[in-house]
Amino acid sequence: MQDLIRRYGAGLTGLMVLLVAFWLLMLVIIPNITLFESSFRPYLPVVEMGGPRDVYSVNNYMKVFDGSVETTILGMTFMVPVHIRTFFLTIWYSVTVTLACFVLAYPIAFYLAKIANPKSVPTLLLLLFVPLWVSEVLRAFAWWIILALKGPLNSLLLSLSLIDKPVRWITDYDAVLIGLVYTYILFMLFPIYNAISSLDTNQIEAAEDLGASRWRIHWRIVLPHSKPGIASGAVMVFMLSAGSLLVPSILGSTTSQWFTQTIQQWMNDALDWNTASAYAFLLLFLCTAFVSLVMWIFRVKLSDIAK
Amino acid sequence: MSAGIDLENVVCDFGSFRAVDHVNVSIKPGEFFSFLGPSGCGKTTILRMISGFTEPTQGVVRIGGVDVRGQRPNQRPTALIFQNLALFPLMTVAENIAFGLEVRGIDKAKRRARADELLRLVDLPGAADKYPSQLSGGQKQRVAIARALAVEPAVMLLDEPLSALDLKLRQHMRAELRAIQKRTGVTFIYITHDQGEALAMSDRVGVMSQGRIQQVADPREIYNNPVNGFVASFVGENNIFDGTVVNPAGGMASYETPLGTFRARLGELATGKGVKLFVRPEHTAISLTAAVENAVPVTISEVSFEGSFISVHGVAAGGKTLVAEIRNDGAATVPAIGSAAFMSFDPALGAILPDAETDR
Amino acid sequence: MHKLRTTLSHLYMGAFLIYLIIPLVIMAGAAFNDSKLPSIVPWRGWTLRWFHDLFQDERMWTALFNTMVVALAVAVISIIIGTASAILINSISGRIRTVIYGLMISTILIPGAVIGISTLLMWNKIGVPPGLHLSVLGQVSYIAAMVMLLVLARLQTFDGALEEAALDLGASHGQVMRRILLPHLYPAIGAGGAVAFFQSIENFNVTQFTRGGADTLTVYVFSRVRSGITPTINALALIMITITLMAAVWYELSRRRKERIMLAGMSRDED
Ligand SMILES: Nc1ncnc2c1ncn2[C@@H]1O[C@H](COP(=O)(O)OP(=O)(O)OP(=O)(O)O)[C@@H](O)[C@H]1O
Ligand SMILES: [Mg+2]
């Protein structure tokens, strides 16, 4: 700080501090505190706000336990509250998407970093970047076209005689998962690619020279080295999936519901902003818990992830 | 447990660039063999062809008499020590050393015992649970050697392993490496661009230039009887004269230069263009009177005291500088700067040699 | 065996590229199909009708205009805040740095819905109605962190002695910042601006909760996809992809040109 004043003077330093304070206080901290505070307030008509009924309670959070549905897990049937079910399905499917992205992207990352001809890598990266620049809503829309009952995928499969009647792809969470993987896979690919690129190729050759098989080279050398990249990719993909509103809205079926959709319903349909706050806070809590878990599993720091 | 290596007409091309050009070398089992040459001459490429990371474009590589073309590095009985060592940073020293045993499915206790044994062999006991980043340069070096030895290779391939060390440590590790080689009896193939290293450690040396082998011989022979100008000047210093060969006979010839006509040994194939006369500074004598043969009048221009010898520079007619090195036996007389003297050499110690073999 | 593996890896890479690109091609192709539903099967013949319809759509033009204004505002504010934060973070150390830095980058990980709702709630409490201005503030809250990371990386290659030299030569504080520090940071600030602009155009979650009644392009596309869909959206998609592709190709060409110039410079040095 002293150093800043010496270099840029008190005026400029003060301005910079003010800008940062505005960002962190007005755009981050106070809004989230407001969110937290609102989540404990009841939904009241305007005239009653601040009145005797406007007291703090956990009622908004309790709403997740309303209205149960029958759910089958591992062959056993339970009665589970709808919103709880949505909440856990969102987590479960986001984890699935994250794993799928990892499995699909890891070989590509390795290929780009260690197998492809270095001259063609910039061009390949550019080709990979193109879909990233196309907006999310259009990417989800593209899959909506492809997966339609009378869409190109079914026509192709029919004409190849692989199926004999059109398959309904947009059912349950299937299309949502396909769309999420497609939309977010590059957020997994690039951090892993960066991590593997920084691995000295001699390390791989040394292991091979000592007799290691391909699998073991990946297990013992490449994967441990790319841990920070994997952690960062996993966090990004999970966060984006769990927080996605577009993809589940466009590719969802009548039986699929994402937690963000529930929040949106409280907010825009029921106009109950306080319950929406409570639910948003749950989402935030879930995401924080997931990031902490990943950081603990991979033993990485937050600064390693955001790169 | 050691095997010989045969390279037969080995060629390696990278696109249109020929990195290794028709190399023929036979390395004996248990030998300490060095490839010596300037940077970029193809040494690493040869090593990679032996270890299996690069396939030769033409020719055959044999290990212990078996043609190993098409075998992957993990199938060959070789162990490579990389130019940058390539220790695994996320594994401890013991895990590094035991890695080759781990992949062979040997159980943990045995692995650990073997790692400890090897650490004693390379004189590094007690480092087992450290990480490579906690070791000094010389210690990393030893770990790399131990890791390679752990898989009991028939051939060890070392790619300039000492180049990152400081002078003192380098000299110490030379002796160490040599001792380890003797103790284990494994064939060592050693790569370096440092002639001192190659001469001091090796049973035999192969000198390379631009992808070609120039000479294969033991260190004495390389130094004393270089086959061509490249070997002569890469291995040691020389006074070099430009001129023409006249009346060659019985392995000797006269050599006409602007500084006079000298008699010297005539190397094989020393005909045509590019033939020069090479005389080592330590074979150059200084006298105050014209010696019997091969004397050049000079004016002494510089005298520098180097410890075990004294280096004297003299300028001959036409401005050519000659260098003589006099052994410092305590009684050596050194001419004063500016004084006139003669520099001369014994005909048996001067060599008329052809250019390097590089016609690509 | 080794050859086979390499061939397989090339094939997988090719398949992956096709997987990424084909959906975009299908979507773009449907823009030319003379069919009421956006698809390429069945093909009912070529038409440019959907482009015509798109250009007639007032709502699209408003949304496009809004998007550009919001993106520009987000880019400018994020650059200012992000650069100031990077300079500040770079000059402090210890625990306080860890805390502030952690707070800054955690904004990237907050779900958009949470940012949107919390922004709306807070400003609503102090009497600011919803609207695109709130979308700008909400977007800045995490996009500024992205700019900060880019600028910070660049800042770490900056030699502080240069500023001391300038001060020593009598430069004022303002001059030091304007003439010495900022020029060094321009590449990162430029990249940050581009990232901020694109991120803002892309943004849906924050905007959806804060926009009031106003449309941005993403919101417009979303509502069209949800209700009464016609291939005009495909026409719009094709135009957007084309612009992206042109930007990408232009970037690649200029990169290659730079590389060639550098190579030429190097070979001249050798002569
Ligand atoms: N994979 C490759 N592709 C193209 N050219 C290569 C490749 N590997 C090596 N070369 C070229 O082959 C020549 C020999 O390389 P090599 O690595 O064998 O040299 P070296 O003798 O080990 O040199 P140094 O002492 O610097 O390590 C060099 O000119 C190098 O540029
Ligand atoms: Mg080399």
Side-chain angles (χ1 to χ4, degrees):
Chain A
M1 206 52 123
Q2 290 302 317
D3 186 48
L4 273 186
I5 295 174
R6 198 163 46 73
R7 280 163 200 268
Y8 311 117
L12 274 174
T13 306
L15 184 64
M16 288 195 286
V17 172
L18 273 182
L19 282 168
V20 175
F22 174 76
W23 174 25
L24 293 181
L25 288 176
M26 296 303 282
L27 302 184
V28 183
I29 296 175
I30 301 184
N32 278 294
I33 291 176
T34 315
L35 179 85
F36 190 63
E37 196 254 359
S38 304
S39 71
F40 293 102
R41 285 175 176 275
Y43 176 44
L44 295 171
V46 180
V47 286
E48 283 195 46
M49 281 188 189
R53 288 179 55 205
D54 198 353
V55 288
Y56 291 126
S57 73
V58 291
N59 290 347
N60 292 332
Y61 289 91
M62 286 309 169
K63 288 180 191 161
V64 294
F65 295 111
D66 294 350
S68 294
V69 285
E70 220 170 75
T71 309
T72 311
I73 303 169
L74 301 171
M76 288 178 289
T77 307
F78 298 90
M79 291 303 287
V80 179
V82 181
H83 293 164
I84 296 248
R85 181 171 183 272
T86 307
F87 186 73
F88 281 104
L89 282 180
T90 302
I91 297 178
W92 166 244
Y93 285 122
S94 298
V95 170
T96 311
V97 168
T98 309
L99 286 178
C101 285
F102 171 72
V103 170
L104 290 173
Y106 178 81
I108 296 291
F110 185 78
Y111 175 90
L112 286 172
K114 294 294 169 206
I115 300 178
N117 179 350
K119 271 199 197 129
S120 55
V121 168
T123 312
L124 285 175
L125 285 178
L126 193 72
L127 281 174
L128 292 173
F129 256 109
V130 169
L132 199 62
W133 286 346
V134 175
S135 85
E136 199 178 314
V137 62
L138 291 179
R139 282 183 279 169
F141 175 48
W143 279 96
W144 185 85
I145 296 175
I146 293 175
L147 297 177
L149 193 61
K150 290 183 181 152
L153 182 60
N154 274 333
S155 335
L156 178 74
L157 293 178
L158 280 171
S159 68
L160 293 176
S161 303
L162 288 173
I163 52 176
D164 46 359
K165 62 176 197 307
V167 175
R168 187 173 288 282
W169 299 103
I170 304 186
T171 169
D172 203 24
Y173 285 89
D174 297 4
V176 177
L177 296 190
I178 294 175
L180 286 175
V181 169
Y182 179 77
T183 315
Y184 298 129
I185 191 165
L186 294 172
F187 291 93
M188 182 68 90
L189 176 61
F190 288 117
I192 302 184
Y193 163 71
N194 282 335
I196 300 183
S197 300
S198 71
L199 174 66
D200 178 6
T201 308
N202 281 350
Q203 297 269 326
I204 297 173
E205 294 189 339
E208 190 177 2
D209 190 53
L210 292 170
S213 64
R214 289 277 147 182
W215 289 109
R216 195 180 293 267
I217 291 173
H218 282 284
W219 182 244
R220 293 285 274 142
I221 311 291
V222 187
L223 275 174
H225 179 87
S226 39
K227 240 170 45 176
I230 297 171
S232 136
V235 165
M236 283 315 280
V237 172
F238 179 87
M239 294 301 193
L240 288 166
S241 301
S244 179
L245 184 53
L246 272 173
V247 177
S249 304
I250 292 176
L251 290 171
S253 67
T254 46
T255 55
S256 73
Q257 173 83 355
W258 214 247
F259 199 64
T260 46
Q261 289 177 292
T262 309
I263 297 177
Q264 167 161 296
Q265 282 155 9
W266 281 119
M267 192 77 192
N268 294 357
D269 302 344
L271 293 177
D272 181 351
W273 291 8
N274 296 332
T275 306
S277 302
Y279 279 48
F281 189 77
L282 283 179
L283 181 66
L284 183 63
F285 179 77
L286 155 72
C287 290
T288 314
F290 182 82
V291 176
S292 316
L293 182 71
V294 169
M295 290 196 314
W296 181 74
I297 291 177
F298 287 88
R299 299 190 203 296
V300 291
K301 290 200 290 287
L302 190 59
S303 48
D304 298 328
I305 289 178
K307 253 195 226 147
Chain B
M1 253 307 276
S2 69
I5 305 273
D6 299 286
L7 303 176
E8 295 167 12
N9 270 315
V10 170
V11 172
C12 182
D13 293 334
F14 293 113
S16 62
F17 177 76
R18 181 151 287 186
V20 170
D21 192 2
H22 290 96
V23 163
N24 279 292
V25 180
S26 244
I27 298 164
K28 299 187 202 88
E31 189 172 29
F32 196 123
F33 188 96
S34 294
F35 283 101
L36 172 66
S39 186
C41 71
K43 306 180 299 279
T44 299
T45 309
I46 287 194
L47 219 57
R48 290 175 66 87
M49 287 191 291
I50 298 174
S51 55
F53 291 109
T54 304
E55 280 292 319
T57 316
Q58 293 171 37
V60 183
V61 177
R62 289 182 205 284
I63 301 180
V66 181
D67 183 354
V68 291
R69 279 176 303 173
Q71 282 186 13
R72 300 289 306 148
N74 51 14
Q75 299 163 330
R76 300 187 184 193
T78 57
L80 178 57
I81 295 188
F82 288 78
Q83 211 158 353
N84 65 356
L85 303 185
L87 295 179
F88 306 129
L90 303 178
M91 299 184 199
T92 63
V93 165
E95 283 177 313
N96 261 284
I97 295 174
F99 184 79
L101 305 174
E102 179 193 322
V103 306
R104 285 165 177 73
I106 291 168
D107 71 59
K108 209 165 177 169
K110 279 212 188 102
R111 277 182 349 226
R112 180 60 198 237
R114 178 86 178 122
D116 285 336
E117 187 185 320
L118 282 161
L119 278 173
R120 275 195 302 279
L121 177 80
V122 297
D123 202 13
L124 202 63
D129 296 314
K130 290 189 177 164
Y131 283 89
S133 58
Q134 298 168 314
L135 302 180
S136 71
Q139 290 172 326
K140 282 185 195 153
Q141 197 67 60
R142 290 163 208 251
V143 174
I145 293 164
R147 185 177 72 178
L149 284 173
V151 298
E152 299 185 355
V155 180
M156 281 269 269
L157 307 167
L158 301 97
D159 191 352
E160 309 205 23
L162 305 185
S163 56
L165 306 183
D166 62 50
L167 184 67
K168 199 95 201 162
L169 198 52
R170 202 150 65 214
Q171 279 169 350
H172 177 71
M173 284 306 294
R174 275 184 199 175
E176 197 90 338
L177 271 178
R178 181 72 202 178
I180 291 172
Q181 194 261 340
K182 283 272 171 296
R183 238 176 290 161
T184 56
V186 173
T187 314
F188 268 47
I189 301 182
Y190 190 90
I191 279 191
T192 180
H193 59 246
D194 178 336
Q195 43 129 343
E197 220 166 271
L199 298 184
M201 298 165 77
S202 321
D203 294 321
R204 282 194 305 154
V205 179
V207 182
M208 290 187 69
S209 167
Q210 304 193 14
R212 289 199 171 203
I213 295 274
Q214 305 294 333
Q215 184 172 10
V216 177
D218 64 51
R220 277 178 90 97
E221 182 75 7
I222 294 274
Y223 192 84
N224 291 335
N225 278 320
V227 295
N228 60 33
F230 174 81
V231 178
S233 36
F234 193 74
V235 184
E237 302 296 315
N238 293 281
N239 292 306
I240 304 173
F241 299 89
D242 252 323
T244 45
V245 178
V246 289
N247 52 41
M252 300 293 285
S254 293
Y255 194 72
E256 277 181 12
T257 77
L259 290 175
T261 301
F262 304 115
R263 273 184 64 69
R265 270 187 310 117
L266 183 61
E268 270 177 64
L269 305 170
T271 51
K273 266 185 59 152
V275 171
K276 293 195 176 85
L277 170 60
F278 295 84
V279 183
R280 301 242 183 246
E282 69 268 27
H283 295 157
T284 305
I286 302 180
S287 54
L288 295 176
T289 54
V292 274
E293 224 176 349
N294 294 346
V296 183
V298 296
T299 307
I300 303 300
S301 63
E302 195 185 321
V303 176
S304 53
F305 183 73
E306 306 274 354
S308 62
F309 65 91
I310 300 159
S311 162
V312 181
H313 290 223
V315 181
K320 184 174 177 63
T321 301
L322 300 180
V323 184
E325 283 172 12
I326 313 170
R327 224 166 67 76
N328 179 15
D329 54 8
T333 51
V334 181
I337 291 178
S339 65
F342 292 89
M343 287 190 174
S344 61
F345 62 92
D346 181 340
L349 297 175
I352 303 167
L353 299 174
D355 227 354
E357 195 193 321
T358 51
D359 53 353
R360 52 173 166 167
Chain C
M1 188 57 204
H2 182 234
K3 279 256 164 57
L4 178 71
R5 207 180 264 126
T6 314
T7 314
L8 279 179
S9 68
H10 290 310
L11 281 179
Y12 183 63
M13 181 74 221
F16 189 77
L17 277 179
I18 290 174
Y19 162 71
L20 282 184
I21 308 278
I22 281 283
L24 305 181
V25 172
I26 290 177
M27 176 169 58
F32 299 103
N33 190 4
D34 196 358
S35 148
K36 277 230 155 41
L37 280 175
S39 185
I40 53 167
V41 286
W43 188 259
R44 297 226 157 88
W46 292 87
T47 180
L48 290 177
R49 173 149 70 108
W50 308 120
F51 289 89
H52 186 77
D53 285 5
L54 177 70
F55 294 136
Q56 299 295 311
D57 189 345
E58 287 291 329
R59 204 182 143 199
M60 190 280 291
W61 287 110
T62 319
L64 177 65
F65 176 76
N66 286 344
T67 301
M68 290 299 140
V69 172
V70 169
L72 210 61
V74 169
V76 169
I77 302 176
S78 298
I79 282 177
I80 295 172
I81 292 184
T83 308
S85 319
I87 295 173
L88 201 69
I89 278 288
N90 197 42
S91 73
I92 58 178
S93 59
R95 214 175 153 66
I96 177 135
R97 181 196 147 112
T98 317
V99 171
I100 295 187
Y101 184 72
L103 186 62
M104 285 174 173
I105 53 182
S106 65
T107 58
I108 297 178
L109 298 175
I110 300 178
V114 175
I115 296 181
I117 295 175
S118 62
T119 305
L120 176 65
L121 283 176
M122 187 197 87
W123 293 96
N124 200 54
K125 276 227 160 100
I126 55 179
V128 181
L132 289 179
H133 48 279
L134 285 194
S135 305
V136 170
L137 291 178
Q139 290 178 21
V140 165
S141 80
Y142 74 98
I143 294 178
M146 299 180 172
V147 178
M148 186 273 287
L149 284 174
L150 285 168
V151 177
L152 189 60
R154 178 86 187 157
L155 205 53
Q156 271 150 7
T157 66
F158 179 71
D159 179 6
L162 293 179
E163 289 175 341
E164 279 156 18
L167 285 172
D168 195 44
L169 292 171
S172 72
H173 294 306
Q175 283 169 329
V176 168
M177 166 112 25
R178 215 173 50 247
R179 298 290 307 280
I180 313 289
L181 181 62
L182 289 182
H184 179 80
L185 298 181
Y186 280 152
I189 291 178
V195 166
F197 195 80
F198 264 101
Q199 282 290 330
S200 169
I201 292 179
E202 271 256 19
N203 185 280
F204 176 77
N205 291 2
V206 175
T207 314
Q208 173 72 354
F209 289 103
T210 49
R211 67 195 170 95
D215 271 345
T216 63
L217 212 50
T218 317
V219 173
Y220 165 77
V221 173
F222 176 72
S223 61
R224 292 303 298 270
V225 171
R226 293 292 299 275
S227 63
I229 197 159
T230 62
T232 49
I233 298 301
N234 298 71
L236 181 61
L238 176 67
I239 292 171
M240 287 169 71
I241 293 174
T242 311
I243 293 173
T244 308
L245 265 182
M246 278 177 357
V249 169
W250 172 79
Y251 172 83
E252 175 71 4
L253 286 181
S254 70
R255 191 189 63 80
R256 293 216 172 134
R257 196 174 54 236
K258 250 187 229 145
E259 206 168 74
R260 255 203 314 281
I261 291 171
M262 250 162 67
L263 280 179
M266 255 150 65
S267 62
R268 209 169 311 125
D269 289 348
E270 279 167 16
D271 291 347

